[in-house]
Amino acid sequence: MPWQYQCGVCRVQTEWGSREAAEDARSAHRARAHGGLIPTDETLTGDTDEEKQGGEILLKILGIGVLFGVLKWITEHL
Ligand SMILES: [Zn+2]
């Protein structure tokens, strides 16, 4: 999943790359341009498609778990 760092204060952004690269760029930019302080308008953006899919998978797993729990409860209480 590609990641990008943007500083809205300086209006700069990195190329899309690894999350590690974007975080490194963030640290370097904060140190260089903002004296180590955190700019008021910065974002670390990930291409969210995969993140959403990951969330959906997690929800499905959770849903299946709840379903099994309910089925287990029903069979135990009948
Ligand atoms: Zn900046």
Side-chain angles (χ1 to χ4, degrees):
M1 174 165 65
W3 286 80
Q4 185 183 53
Y5 170 70
Q6 293 176 299
C7 178
V9 177
C10 304
R11 297 184 175 277
V12 292
Q13 63 186 39
T14 64
E15 298 285 322
W16 290 93
S18 70
R19 179 170 190 154
E20 198 180 9
E23 286 176 348
D24 285 351
R26 177 178 62 186
S27 303
H29 179 77
R30 282 176 179 173
R32 192 177 57 242
H34 301 281
L37 300 174
I38 300 168
T40 53
D41 182 16
E42 66 166 12
T43 48
L44 194 65
T45 311
D47 184 349
T48 51
D49 279 355
E50 270 183 52
E51 243 181 18
K52 276 184 196 159
Q53 281 172 12
E56 279 173 20
I57 289 166
L58 203 71
L59 265 178
K60 278 177 190 166
I61 291 168
L62 211 72
I64 290 166
V66 168
L67 194 70
F68 272 104
V70 168
L71 282 173
K72 191 171 181 267
W73 187 88
I74 289 170
T75 52
E76 282 172 0
H77 290 81
L78 282 178

